[in-house]
Amino acid sequence: MKIAVFAGDGIGPEVTAQAVRVLNALDLPGLELIEGDVGGAAWRKHGHPLPEATLAIAHAADAILFGAVGDFDCDNLERHLRPEQAILGLRKELGLFANLRPATVFKGLEDMSSLKSEIALAIDLLIVRELNGDVYFGDKGIETLADGSRRGWDMMSYSEAEVRRIAHVGFRAAQGRRGKLCSVDKANVLETSQVWRDTVIAVSAEYPDVELSHMYVDNAAMQLVKNPGAFDVVVTGNLFGDILSDQASMCVGSIGLLASAALAEGTKGLYEPIHGSAPDIAGQDKANPMATILSAAMLLRHSFGLEAPAARIEAAVAKALADGIRGGDLGGSAGTREIGDAVLARL
Ligand code: NAD
Ligand code: IPM
Ligand code: MN
């Protein structure tokens, strides 16, 4: 079990440290953790956010546990040297095209949702976000016009092949859940979305047991706060999935709770909280490590088929929350390490 641990910037090292404590506590046979530098931290040390040595560790590993990257001091660097290129580069380099972002309300936490408790209680959804295409990876640039002003562009595109493979992930996920798939696009305006919608409909012929619906992304943003319980699996593109998953986190109660898996065709995966490096609270023992701890559970389940220890971690987190262990993001005062202690005690 070779697991690469890339902690990154800001709160990344703080939350990753707690997830590593949890992994170590499970006494898993053959567990080997290999650390690597990513993000602004890697740029400072090696002059690049995703150094060759880190990439080599990523290729050799069975799975990757990722903290967060992002450092406001690096925001004026050329785009290819910015911390965010580490995570984008890993996703592309390793073919991690399927991003699973589950959002479920924990019992007793419904009062922390930005929604009314009775609405929040019904949330049990999975966002399947395409991660290798869209406006993220298209041709982009900035040009200076004759009058000296600038114009920027980013090309949005999806090929049928790209949509087909993520659609299959969405349909299969729905089969394993409540059998409902909602495809989110902007086909009323974007040609990219027309190809997306037509392709999802074509793939649906192979899944007669899944109820497929379509929704424009603006309506989806509205329905997600109006009646989130109506969603089972949502399949969508890279940009829409990024935005809707942050929104879903506040329907659940905090971005410090949402884990994710970025999967390739095989069992290899990268696992990370959906949040970023949170520079505003970094280095203060204020970050909630639960999203990263839950990402470690997803890692055990998806990359190693270890359902029992994964479920144990999830139960320990749920128990800690039910017992009132809450960080600042959930209106409490427990510190990052203290939350780690609480989860370990219940494990
Ligand atoms: P963010 O997710 O880092 O923070 C948003 C807000 O949520 C902040 O107020 C922060 O304090 C809070 N927050 C986030 N995680 C938390 C946690 N675990 N516990 C408690 N509170 C938490 O988003 P941002 O501020 O827009 O971005 C900061 C940096 O992170 C940027 O450089 C951005 O590019 C980067 N980023 C990286 C990733 C990633 O590595 N995958 C994801 C998102 C953003
Ligand atoms: C995420 C982040 C990343 C994204 C950034 C840091 C590149 O927001 O993982 O949600 O946009 O995918
Ligand atoms: Mn995001």
Side-chain angles (χ1 to χ4, degrees):
M1 293 183 68
K2 269 201 175 77
I3 301 177
V5 180
F6 299 158
D9 304 317
I11 62 170
E14 299 171 63
V15 293
T16 308
Q18 301 312 313
V20 164
R21 287 175 76 202
V22 168
L23 283 175
N24 280 326
L26 290 166
D27 275 331
L28 299 163
L31 176 70
E32 193 189 334
L33 303 174
I34 313 127
E35 290 182 16
D37 297 319
V38 288
W43 175 76
R44 277 172 222 285
K45 249 165 114 175
H46 314 281
H48 199 281
L50 184 57
E52 282 300 327
T54 301
L55 209 45
I57 295 170
H59 277 294
D62 301 308
I64 300 161
L65 182 67
F66 193 93
V69 288
D71 179 338
F72 293 149
D73 290 345
C74 296
D75 283 352
N76 290 323
L77 293 173
E78 281 176 68
R79 174 92 33 207
H80 75 280
L81 291 176
R82 296 212 202 152
E84 290 81 356
Q85 295 304 314
I87 186 63
L88 296 173
L90 284 167
R91 289 171 182 169
K92 197 68 174 174
E93 217 18 75
L94 302 175
L96 306 167
F97 71 96
N99 192 199
L100 310 184
R101 296 188 159 192
T104 309
V105 164
F106 289 89
K107 271 236 152 6
L109 262 202
E110 59 276 9
D111 56 315
M112 287 315 303
S113 170
S114 299
L115 308 178
K116 294 191 187 87
S117 301
E118 66 271 22
I119 295 176
L121 268 173
I123 301 174
D124 180 9
L125 61 88
L126 171 69
I127 296 176
V128 175
R129 170 191 178 196
E130 201 288 330
L131 211 51
N132 269 191
D134 203 355
V135 69
Y136 273 64
F137 293 100
D139 178 49
K140 61 178 76 222
I142 298 178
E143 65 177 2
T144 303
L145 304 174
D147 68 358
S149 66
R150 297 184 315 156
R151 175 180 159 272
W153 72 92
D154 301 85
M155 155 90 159
M156 175 182 269
S157 82
Y158 266 123
S159 69
E160 288 185 359
E162 287 175 308
V163 180
R164 216 175 289 125
R165 67 176 181 171
I166 194 69
H168 281 291
V169 174
F171 280 107
R172 286 199 296 268
Q175 281 180 324
R177 293 171 49 101
R178 302 196 301 279
K180 293 203 302 180
L181 180 67
C182 179
S183 172
V184 170
D185 63 35
K186 188 72 186 170
N188 52 346
V189 178
L190 304 173
E191 297 295 34
T192 306
S193 283
Q194 193 59 56
V195 171
W196 176 280
R197 186 174 288 217
D198 295 345
T199 307
V200 172
I201 290 171
V203 172
S204 73
E206 296 174 47
Y207 300 89
D209 51 333
V210 175
E211 182 194 316
L212 173 66
S213 62
H214 304 274
M215 205 179 274
Y216 298 131
V217 64
D218 46 353
N219 185 24
M222 187 270 274
Q223 297 296 339
L224 194 55
V225 292
K226 184 183 180 210
N227 186 15
F231 291 104
D232 180 12
V233 180
V234 171
V235 65
T236 191
N238 206 342
L239 182 63
F240 300 156
D242 178 44
I243 298 166
L244 292 178
S245 53
D246 265 36
Q247 189 179 335
S249 75
M250 278 320 297
C251 297
V252 164
S254 168
I255 197 163
L257 293 172
L258 260 60
S260 82
L263 306 174
E265 296 282 4
T267 57
K268 192 149 175 160
L270 179 151
Y271 303 82
E272 56 170 338
I274 77 156
H275 62 70
S277 56
D280 54 332
I281 56 166
Q284 301 168 47
D285 195 43
K286 282 185 180 164
N288 186 347
M290 285 172 165
T292 315
I293 293 172
L294 292 168
S295 298
M298 291 187 89
L299 178 152
L300 296 179
R301 175 176 295 122
H302 290 281
S303 283
F304 300 102
L306 293 171
E307 176 57 35
R312 256 183 84 191
I313 295 175
E314 288 162 351
V317 169
K319 182 80 170 69
L321 287 168
D323 291 345
I325 307 294
R326 295 181 179 195
D329 58 322
L330 293 169
S333 60
T336 308
R337 192 175 168 94
E338 192 182 339
I339 296 173
D341 288 342
V343 172
L344 278 172
R346 283 152 186 87
L347 198 67

